[in-house]
Amino acid sequence: MASLNILMAQMNTLVGDFDGNTKRVIKIVQSAIDTHDQPVVVFPELTLSGYPPEDLLLRPSIELRVDQSLELLCSQLPEAAWVVIGYPKREGGELYNAAGVIHGGKLVAEYHKQCLPNYQVFDEKRYFVSGSAPCVLDIQGVQVALSICEDIWEKHPTADAAEAGAEILLNLNSSPYHRGKRGERWEMVAERARQAAFPIVYVNQVGGQDELVFDGGSFAVTADGTVAAAAPSFEEGEYWLQYDNENKNQPFSGQAVNAPMNEMAATWQALVLGVRDYVNKNGFKGVVLGLSGGIDSALTLAVAVEALGPERVEAIMMPFRYTSQMSVDDAAEQSKTQGVTHKVISIENIYASFMASLEEEFAGTTPDTTEENLQARCRGVLLMSISNKKGVLVLTTGNKSEMAVGYSTLYGDMAGGFDVLKDVPKTLVFELCRYRNTLGPCIPQRVIDRPPSAELAPDQKDEDSLPPYDILDQILEMYVERDMSAEAIIDHGFDREQVQRVLRLVDINEYKRRQAPIGVRITRRGFGRDRRYPITSGWRIGL
Amino acid sequence: MASLNILMAQMNTLVGDFDGNTKRVIKIVQSAIDTHDQPVVVFPELTLSGYPPEDLLLRPSIELRVDQSLELLCSQLPEAAWVVIGYPKREGGELYNAAGVIHGGKLVAEYHKQCLPNYQVFDEKRYFVSGSAPCVLDIQGVQVALSICEDIWEKHPTADAAEAGAEILLNLNSSPYHRGKRGERWEMVAERARQAAFPIVYVNQVGGQDELVFDGGSFAVTADGTVAAAAPSFEEGEYWLQYDNENKNQPFSGQAVNAPMNEMAATWQALVLGVRDYVNKNGFKGVVLGLSGGIDSALTLAVAVEALGPERVEAIMMPFRYTSQMSVDDAAEQSKTQGVTHKVISIENIYASFMASLEEEFAGTTPDTTEENLQARCRGVLLMSISNKKGVLVLTTGNKSEMAVGYSTLYGDMAGGFDVLKDVPKTLVFELCRYRNTLGPCIPQRVIDRPPSAELAPDQKDEDSLPPYDILDQILEMYVERDMSAEAIIDHGFDREQVQRVLRLVDINEYKRRQAPIGVRITRRGFGRDRRYPITSGWRIGL
């Protein structure tokens, strides 16, 4: 009989911070050996560089930095531990996405990732070449194989490991969250385990990195595909598994199966973690946002307070002649409920001074969206001034539906460093508000119930110029996330003219999205690295 | 003896415009057959979709659109012509970057690109799979091979074509300009011709597409590597070659060798074409820009006038208390010289109204860069208002040195749709101004001679907070374009503290660049698709 003490080190790494990440690895392993003999400590993909390091991988000093980290690990890690870490490895002029095992002060095995994702947000073929062989090593009498992330989504790396005699596979991941992803992972890994007839331990990183949020949720499946252990999602931590290779049916003990979060809670947690890590990893003191009395800024405020605490959040209401009293009141009420600093700064005088200065330029013209954009830009400049003066980040509040159709003002409500709801469709904004209010009082009910309005013109409603959001979001999901054509969407029962108008709006607003702040990706296709469209384009919908 | 009438169709395509591009192909071929028997008309890479189509390639209707275009071409092209075009081709579930030959109403041959660039600005592995075989066909007794762009930069595709019996190779390109690129192409293609011992015809597209400018400059080399024909750069047009396969030393006649432009003229043309195509392909009536009296906006104005004519350009001087009379006068003088509409709008009142509204927020603080940014943002909002009202594009004026170190204001001087000088280092801005003035009076000499200043504070000079530009630009070129480490740059004789400060500024300003407008890429590495850095990063210079 052979058994292993396996630790799933669900770590929150920082991209580019070789020193910091290396020290964290050492600390985690030192704690592990205090409680368990000869632990096998498994870290996420590209532990030392963080993920995704992007073009930092093109810098020549990457090699030196990795070598220094590995040397430090070899000299400082407890010799009895088996430590499985990920790092970029240059060999023979090529760069590999590697996983190595350190034991007894030496690197005793190394694996090179075979399947390199180069789709969606991933660009791994820009940097890496593929490995071509399995890696199986003997750890205390157990034949242990390694693989990395995407390797588990194709068949051959796991099959080859089985062929090479593996009894168990350790899979290192930096797998970003999107809605439904956890279920997809469990299913895929279970299928691979059954095919290979061995158990698999899936270790994922946790944390926000620019537009990505890694959700953790590390887990282990048995050879029959049963999930035998699952760590929490969205929490950093270390989770023990006792593995016994004689007990084929129940090889794992020690770690409970954390029931999967419902998707609404997971989405909420993803937004919170995304904001917290962006603000903290970038060293901001706190955040400021424009609180309009509308639902988007209400939810943004709620997420910010959960992420950072009320003392690091400032809400500014910037009324104008079209702002309703209801908006002013509701904004004040939520700020009070949440305990954040609340200020009111009117934009009347600023707006008036712009219009006076533009009098000659605008002579003979009639009001149009220019004046609406101007209101938004007065607000944007105010927020940026506060940001500059106080060293706080401006959170923007645009949702995915608005980003899609360009219902937003560049340098106005789009001015800021991080757009919390960038990948949240408006209908989901409503659901998240309702979800948040189940956790305790937060967003005034009236904010959720009233018809959405940008309040940039008298009695304006979003639905005056856009289809109802439940229709709009369905069309957008089909076009943006599922690449369906206009005809295919119309075939689903939507109005031809409406579909064509929405798709056209999506197409012509690429220029706005290109200058938009980044935000948390929570769907299968967010705007950002995920969707790379030309601005200049003669593409016409209709096929 | 066999001879061919080859037409290099140096076409300016529009990305996504299958209908328009297809019609242009038909028109060009119809003109060709009016003057030459059985012409072989060679178009650039991905003629029908334009290049780069980016994620439009993921849309399912691509297949249908290509099929419709090919059908139209087969039915409408003159049957006697041999037409070589590029298009994305789906086959067996995979997408290829293809080149096809249409003759006699049929597609008679098809080649699949073998080498897919996935570096710098290129993402071809995101979309395409590699072909694996040469394509050689008999055209009027001549064995003609096809290849596509990157194929010519590696050895095997040309060698395989030679092995398969080719007598001449037609290479279809969408090769973007950068400084020095033309010489690199000539050298590489000459080397391939000598290796294969056959002549090569290199056809490149021309035109601006977002941040890329394709410079044309199609050419032909003989088997001994001599450039026997070269079309002009930066001009759309059709260029004939008479090819005679019996005359091994001088197989080509008919097309002169246009001497390579000097690099300063080429850079100027690249900027002009980049602006012209961005404005026209996106349907803007014209442009507006802030003319400050400084050298960056002076050069931007000069490029805009060359690209669009003075009647489509409006220059706005927006003085403040720190604006010198010299700036006001010089801006007015250049506007007059160039014949553009010139307006003066003070930002004093607007600035004052912002400061008054922020009084409570700023209580107890001292002036810092916040107030400087505010000036820039007052100007940005004014320009955007004019843009909105008149349907003109705001050109921004930031140069590459500023973009690199973050010496610019988000939503201020960075507010606009296209940054003409985004990839032009400050020292090159000076050289381009001097070059432009050799073509005729344009930029006041004083603008070139005075020390650069943002005029955002009293007696401010750029060199108060930045190293002298000739030093700065050398450090930036080594770090940004050549990926050199801090130590390697210091070894070149630069001051350690200065190098570390500059590199740190580059690193921490990624967030600004991420929201910057696009601009013309003219160097080996521009900011944009070319350089993909994380915003959140623990990377520390020093190795």
Side-chain angles (χ1 to χ4, degrees):
Chain A
M1 164 185 155
S3 68
L4 300 175
N5 292 318
I6 298 173
L7 185 66
M8 302 189 291
Q10 187 165 297
M11 176 174 158
N12 189 338
T13 58
L14 173 57
V15 162
D17 186 16
F18 285 87
D19 287 353
N21 294 332
T22 303
K23 283 178 192 146
R24 297 276 313 289
V25 166
I26 293 170
K27 208 174 143 196
I28 290 168
V29 177
Q30 281 169 341
S31 296
I33 210 151
D34 286 346
T35 58
H36 289 72
D37 284 340
Q38 302 192 297
V40 179
V41 189
V42 188
F43 287 90
E45 179 182 15
L46 292 186
T47 327
L48 302 184
S49 62
Y51 191 93
E54 303 191 70
D55 279 8
L56 291 173
L57 290 170
L58 303 180
R59 301 216 70 90
S61 70
I62 276 283
E63 192 174 347
L64 197 55
R65 287 169 200 245
V66 171
D67 288 349
Q68 287 183 352
S69 288
L70 290 177
E71 264 175 50
L72 195 71
L73 291 173
C74 287
S75 69
Q76 303 216 344
L77 286 174
E79 297 218 341
W82 301 79
V83 180
V84 187
I85 47 162
Y87 47 88
K89 177 64 177 287
R90 190 166 293 283
E91 204 174 289
E94 306 285 8
L95 194 67
Y96 296 93
N97 183 335
V101 182
I102 294 176
H103 175 68
K106 281 191 312 229
L107 187 69
V108 296
E110 189 172 83
Y111 171 76
H112 296 160
K113 188 175 186 178
Q114 299 182 63
C115 304
L116 301 173
N118 206 66
Y119 55 83
Q120 292 177 348
V121 298
F122 303 107
D123 281 308
E124 291 200 19
K125 290 182 181 169
R126 183 174 170 89
Y127 310 108
F128 298 116
V129 299
S130 297
S132 54
C135 170
V136 180
L137 77 159
D138 186 307
I139 300 185
Q140 295 162 219
V142 181
Q143 298 302 305
V144 178
L146 306 180
S147 77
I148 302 176
C149 207
E150 190 78 1
D151 287 331
I152 206 79
W153 295 82
E154 300 199 20
K155 277 187 189 171
H156 71 273
T158 311
D160 292 352
E163 181 114 344
E167 294 173 86
I168 181 172
L169 175 72
L170 307 178
N171 180 239
L172 286 67
N173 291 271
S174 286
S175 173
Y177 171 74
H178 63 233
R179 288 168 63 83
K181 185 83 168 276
R182 178 156 167 159
E184 293 166 27
R185 285 186 201 128
W186 282 23
E187 231 171 82
M188 176 56 63
V189 175
E191 191 183 322
R192 290 286 168 268
R194 284 190 297 267
Q195 285 163 346
F198 57 44
I200 300 177
V201 177
Y202 179 105
V203 176
N204 193 21
Q205 72 151 305
V206 72
Q209 170 61 29
D210 288 350
E211 63 188 36
L212 303 182
V213 169
F214 301 93
D215 55 332
S218 303
F219 64 99
V221 299
T222 59
D224 67 357
T226 308
V227 175
S233 295
F234 301 106
E235 276 179 41
E236 200 175 10
E238 292 83 48
Y239 307 94
W240 286 103
L241 295 170
Q242 273 73 55
Y243 167 76
D244 168 6
N245 75 347
E246 294 290 298
N247 192 340
K248 293 295 171 197
N249 291 331
Q250 297 195 334
F252 296 111
S253 58
Q255 173 63 30
V257 179
N258 280 271
M261 266 181 187
N262 81 56
E263 208 60 59
M264 202 58 67
T267 305
W268 170 258
Q269 289 298 337
L271 298 176
V272 168
L273 183 55
V275 171
R276 182 184 296 141
D277 274 9
Y278 189 80
V279 170
N280 290 339
K281 289 181 177 180
N282 285 293
F284 290 100
K285 291 184 202 158
V287 298
V288 61
L289 76 158
L291 189 65
S292 69
I295 193 164
D296 298 313
S297 59
L299 181 59
T300 303
L301 175 60
V303 171
V305 170
E306 175 84 9
L308 307 168
E311 64 289 345
R312 293 176 69 192
V313 180
E314 181 169 348
I316 315 284
M317 160 42 99
M318 292 167 283
F320 188 57
R321 64 195 72 156
Y322 306 130
T323 308
S324 65
Q325 189 59 41
M326 196 199 299
S327 295
V328 176
D329 295 344
D330 291 348
E333 182 189 328
Q334 186 182 349
S335 291
K336 198 174 160 200
T337 307
Q338 301 222 262
V340 301
T341 304
H342 180 82
K343 298 278 175 61
V344 180
I345 306 177
S346 162
I347 61 164
E348 283 290 351
N349 292 340
I350 301 168
Y351 179 88
S353 67
F354 271 114
M355 288 305 287
S357 302
L358 286 163
E359 204 175 337
E360 194 188 320
E361 279 290 298
F362 286 7
T365 67
T366 47
D368 53 19
T369 53
T370 304
E371 285 76 10
E372 302 188 14
N373 287 328
L374 180 55
Q375 295 163 51
R377 291 191 180 117
C378 292
R379 296 184 175 116
V381 173
L382 283 171
L383 292 176
M384 287 306 299
S385 296
I386 295 169
S387 161
N388 288 167
K389 193 59 98 183
K390 300 189 176 178
V392 294
L393 174 77
V394 177
L395 292 182
T396 66
T397 61
N399 61 59
K400 188 177 194 177
S401 315
E402 292 176 356
M403 283 298 109
V405 297
Y407 198 73
S408 59
T409 300
L410 264 174
Y411 327 126
D413 51 303
M414 291 174 70
F418 201 78
D419 184 358
V420 181
L421 308 180
K422 185 174 185 182
D423 200 31
V424 182
K426 186 80 171 191
T427 46
L428 185 54
V429 169
F430 282 96
E431 292 183 70
L432 283 164
C433 285
R434 285 188 211 103
Y435 166 78
R436 172 60 189 82
N437 279 356
T438 65
L439 307 179
C442 177
I443 297 162
Q445 190 59 37
R446 199 161 61 168
V447 171
I448 302 174
D449 293 339
R450 63 188 288 205
S453 166
E455 294 196 329
L456 295 169
D459 300 320
Q460 189 178 43
K461 304 265 177 305
D462 291 5
E463 296 191 359
D464 299 341
S465 44
L466 294 175
Y469 280 115
D470 58 337
I471 303 286
L472 179 65
D473 282 355
Q474 290 182 66
I475 296 173
L476 289 174
E477 198 260 342
M478 286 188 272
Y479 188 58
V480 175
E481 288 174 48
R482 290 159 64 198
D483 278 330
M484 285 170 60
S485 68
E487 287 308 320
I489 297 170
I490 292 161
D491 283 351
H492 274 65
F494 294 92
D495 177 68
R496 173 172 298 271
E497 213 171 303
Q498 209 164 47
V499 169
Q500 288 178 337
R501 187 160 157 268
V502 169
L503 271 48
R504 182 84 189 125
L505 285 172
V506 174
D507 288 353
I508 64 175
N509 280 293
E510 181 57 29
Y511 77 99
K512 278 193 194 176
R513 290 187 291 268
R514 199 69 75 85
Q515 292 187 38
I518 60 169
V520 187
R521 176 177 179 267
I522 60 150
T523 71
R524 191 173 297 276
R525 182 177 289 152
F527 294 120
R529 290 272 195 263
D530 217 356
R531 189 175 187 273
R532 307 178 190 178
Y533 268 61
I535 297 176
T536 304
S537 171
W539 183 265
R540 293 291 168 270
I541 54 137
L543 284 174
Chain B
M1 165 187 155
S3 68
L4 301 175
N5 291 317
I6 298 173
L7 185 65
M8 301 190 292
Q10 188 164 298
M11 178 174 155
N12 189 336
T13 58
L14 173 57
V15 162
D17 186 14
F18 285 87
D19 287 354
N21 295 332
T22 303
K23 282 178 192 143
R24 297 276 313 289
V25 166
I26 293 170
K27 211 176 142 199
I28 289 168
V29 177
Q30 281 171 341
S31 296
I33 208 152
D34 286 347
T35 58
H36 290 72
D37 285 340
Q38 304 192 294
V40 180
V41 189
V42 188
F43 288 90
E45 179 181 15
L46 291 186
T47 328
L48 303 183
S49 62
Y51 191 94
E54 304 189 66
D55 280 7
L56 291 172
L57 290 170
L58 303 179
R59 300 215 71 87
S61 71
I62 275 283
E63 191 173 350
L64 197 54
R65 286 170 200 246
V66 170
D67 288 350
Q68 287 183 352
S69 287
L70 289 177
E71 265 175 49
L72 195 72
L73 291 172
C74 286
S75 69
Q76 301 216 346
L77 286 173
E79 298 217 341
W82 301 80
V83 180
V84 186
I85 47 164
Y87 47 89
K89 178 62 176 289
R90 190 166 295 283
E91 207 174 287
E94 305 286 11
L95 194 66
Y96 295 94
N97 183 335
V101 182
I102 295 176
H103 175 69
K106 285 190 310 230
L107 188 69
V108 296
E110 190 172 82
Y111 171 77
H112 296 161
K113 187 175 185 177
Q114 300 181 64
C115 304
L116 301 173
N118 207 66
Y119 54 83
Q120 292 177 346
V121 298
F122 303 107
D123 281 308
E124 292 200 19
K125 290 182 181 169
R126 183 173 169 89
Y127 311 108
F128 298 116
V129 299
S130 297
S132 55
C135 169
V136 180
L137 77 159
D138 185 310
I139 299 184
Q140 296 162 215
V142 180
Q143 298 302 305
V144 178
L146 306 180
S147 76
I148 302 176
C149 208
E150 191 79 1
D151 287 332
I152 207 77
W153 296 83
E154 300 199 18
K155 277 188 188 169
H156 72 275
T158 310
D160 292 353
E163 182 115 341
E167 294 172 86
I168 181 172
L169 175 73
L170 307 178
N171 180 240
L172 286 68
N173 292 272
S174 286
S175 173
Y177 171 75
H178 63 233
R179 289 167 63 83
K181 185 83 167 276
R182 179 158 167 159
E184 293 167 27
R185 285 185 200 128
W186 282 23
E187 230 171 86
M188 178 53 65
V189 175
E191 189 182 325
R192 289 288 168 266
R194 283 190 298 266
Q195 285 164 346
F198 58 44
I200 299 176
V201 177
Y202 179 105
V203 176
N204 193 21
Q205 72 151 304
V206 71
Q209 169 61 31
D210 288 349
E211 63 188 36
L212 302 181
V213 169
F214 301 94
D215 54 332
S218 302
F219 63 100
V221 299
T222 59
D224 66 358
T226 308
V227 174
S233 296
F234 302 105
E235 276 178 43
E236 200 176 9
E238 293 83 48
Y239 306 94
W240 286 103
L241 295 170
Q242 273 73 55
Y243 167 75
D244 169 6
N245 77 344
E246 293 293 299
N247 192 341
K248 294 293 172 199
N249 289 332
Q250 298 196 332
F252 297 110
S253 58
Q255 173 62 31
V257 179
N258 281 270
M261 266 180 186
N262 80 56
E263 209 59 59
M264 201 58 67
T267 305
W268 170 258
Q269 289 298 334
L271 298 176
V272 168
L273 183 55
V275 171
R276 183 185 295 142
D277 274 10
Y278 189 79
V279 170
N280 290 338
K281 289 181 177 180
N282 285 295
F284 289 101
K285 291 184 201 156
V287 298
V288 62
L289 75 158
L291 189 66
S292 69
I295 194 164
D296 298 314
S297 59
L299 180 59
T300 303
L301 175 61
V303 171
V305 170
E306 176 85 6
L308 306 168
E311 65 288 342
R312 294 176 70 191
V313 179
E314 183 170 346
I316 315 284
M317 158 45 96
M318 291 167 286
F320 188 58
R321 65 195 71 154
Y322 306 130
T323 308
S324 65
Q325 189 58 41
M326 198 199 301
S327 295
V328 176
D329 295 344
D330 290 348
E333 182 190 329
Q334 186 183 351
S335 290
K336 198 173 160 202
T337 307
Q338 301 224 262
V340 301
T341 303
H342 179 83
K343 298 276 174 61
V344 179
I345 306 177
S346 163
I347 61 164
E348 284 288 351
N349 292 339
I350 302 168
Y351 179 89
S353 66
F354 271 115
M355 289 304 288
S357 302
L358 286 163
E359 205 176 336
E360 195 188 318
E361 279 289 299
F362 286 7
T365 67
T366 46
D368 53 18
T369 53
T370 304
E371 286 76 11
E372 301 188 15
N373 287 327
L374 179 56
Q375 296 164 50
R377 291 191 179 118
C378 292
R379 296 185 175 114
V381 173
L382 283 171
L383 292 176
M384 287 306 298
S385 296
I386 295 169
S387 162
N388 288 167
K389 194 58 103 184
K390 301 189 177 179
V392 293
L393 174 77
V394 177
L395 292 181
T396 66
T397 61
N399 61 59
K400 188 177 194 176
S401 315
E402 291 174 358
M403 283 300 108
V405 297
Y407 197 72
S408 58
T409 300
L410 264 174
Y411 328 127
D413 52 303
M414 290 174 70
F418 201 79
D419 183 358
V420 181
L421 308 181
K422 185 174 183 180
D423 200 30
V424 182
K426 187 78 170 192
T427 45
L428 185 54
V429 169
F430 281 96
E431 292 182 70
L432 282 164
C433 285
R434 286 188 210 105
Y435 167 78
R436 172 59 189 84
N437 278 357
T438 65
L439 308 178
C442 177
I443 296 162
Q445 189 59 38
R446 200 162 58 170
V447 172
I448 302 174
D449 293 340
R450 62 189 287 205
S453 166
E455 294 196 331
L456 295 169
D459 301 319
Q460 190 178 40
K461 305 267 176 302
D462 291 6
E463 296 190 358
D464 298 341
S465 45
L466 294 175
Y469 280 116
D470 57 338
I471 303 287
L472 178 65
D473 281 355
Q474 290 181 66
I475 296 173
L476 290 174
E477 198 262 341
M478 287 187 273
Y479 188 59
V480 175
E481 288 174 48
R482 291 160 63 196
D483 279 330
M484 285 169 62
S485 67
E487 287 307 319
I489 297 171
I490 292 162
D491 285 349
H492 274 65
F494 294 92
D495 176 70
R496 173 172 298 270
E497 211 170 305
Q498 208 165 47
V499 168
Q500 287 177 337
R501 183 157 161 267
V502 170
L503 270 49
R504 182 83 188 128
L505 285 173
V506 174
D507 287 354
I508 63 176
N509 280 293
E510 181 57 27
Y511 77 99
K512 279 195 193 177
R513 289 188 292 268
R514 199 67 76 84
Q515 292 189 39
I518 60 169
V520 187
R521 175 177 179 266
I522 60 151
T523 69
R524 192 173 297 276
R525 181 177 288 153
F527 294 121
R529 291 273 195 264
D530 216 356
R531 189 174 187 276
R532 306 179 190 176
Y533 269 62
I535 296 177
T536 305
S537 171
W539 183 266
R540 292 292 170 266
I541 53 138
L543 284 174

